[in-house]
Amino acid sequence: MSELPYRPCVGVMLINAKGLVFLGRRLSKRADPQVIEHEWQMPQGGIDEGEEPLAAALRELHEETNVTSVSVLAEAQDWYSYDLPPEAAKRWKGKYRGQTQKWFAFRFEGEEAEIDIERPGGGRHEPEFDAWRWERAALLPQLIVPFKRDVYEQVVRDFAHLSGD
């Protein structure tokens, strides 16, 4: 699998006025309790052909949370990659070995009523989350699936000066 490319993606650390970070719990049809315990994540998604990473980050945030009231705080200097475990790699049918992500930190400037994970993108997109919450950035790596943990640790370090931690 190491000969396969990484899928280009973006990730968003959405930070509220208190320095807390938005987390969504991925919709899950799996019954594996080890996975369910770690299904909290920040918004993320693929970069479309010809799309700039910042535009992709804003689009993905809206498609997953309905949020548009943001300002850009920072962009991670590096791209961070992770390999998918074999059971997750099947989803892409041998096309990618994992994802490489460009991360952005955004300040949430709207009212919480703007966040709508049940009808994201004004109802034009399928929900990806079944719950959401604000959380301290330092706790994020403990809440994500283990194969993404190193990326989350790097993102938390990159943006620590912007959150409450």
Side-chain angles (χ1 to χ4, degrees):
M1 204 162 87
S2 62
E3 67 281 353
L4 295 174
Y6 287 102
R7 177 179 179 238
C9 296
V10 292
V12 173
M13 180 182 274
L14 183 65
I15 305 169
N16 71 11
K18 295 179 182 175
L20 299 174
V21 177
F22 174 93
L23 281 181
R25 187 176 63 197
R26 300 234 356 123
L27 278 171
S28 177
K29 296 177 176 65
R30 296 178 295 279
D32 181 351
Q34 289 182 329
V35 173
I36 291 171
E37 291 174 14
H38 302 287
E39 287 196 319
W40 291 93
Q41 71 174 43
M42 292 179 278
Q44 66 175 57
I47 299 173
D48 292 339
E49 187 72 32
E51 189 176 32
E52 292 296 320
L54 176 58
L58 291 165
R59 176 185 52 75
E60 284 292 336
L61 180 65
H62 185 246
E63 288 179 0
E64 293 184 8
T65 67
N66 202 55
V67 170
T68 59
S69 300
V70 298
S71 58
V72 179
L73 295 174
E75 175 180 342
Q77 183 175 353
D78 298 315
W79 289 76
Y80 299 124
S81 302
Y82 63 84
D83 289 345
L84 290 168
E87 59 277 8
K90 293 176 188 173
R91 173 179 163 212
W92 287 324
K93 302 174 180 79
K95 192 173 178 181
Y96 300 106
R97 71 188 282 185
Q99 297 193 51
T100 187
Q101 300 174 318
K102 175 59 86 165
W103 280 85
F104 295 87
F106 295 155
R107 173 74 64 209
F108 178 57
E109 297 178 342
E111 299 294 322
E112 285 196 4
E114 180 179 346
I115 300 170
D116 186 353
I117 61 168
E118 293 176 11
R119 294 180 27 81
R124 290 183 302 281
H125 302 283
E126 290 295 317
E128 295 202 23
F129 301 127
D130 65 8
W132 71 273
R133 71 186 201 218
W134 296 107
E135 187 57 78
R136 289 184 41 232
L139 298 178
L140 302 182
Q142 301 168 37
L143 301 170
I144 189 69
V145 289
F147 64 88
K148 294 182 183 180
R149 192 161 291 145
D150 288 345
V151 168
Y152 268 51
E153 288 170 352
Q154 292 170 318
V155 171
V156 167
R157 272 194 306 273
D158 278 355
F159 298 145
H161 63 289
L162 302 170
S163 67
D165 290 328

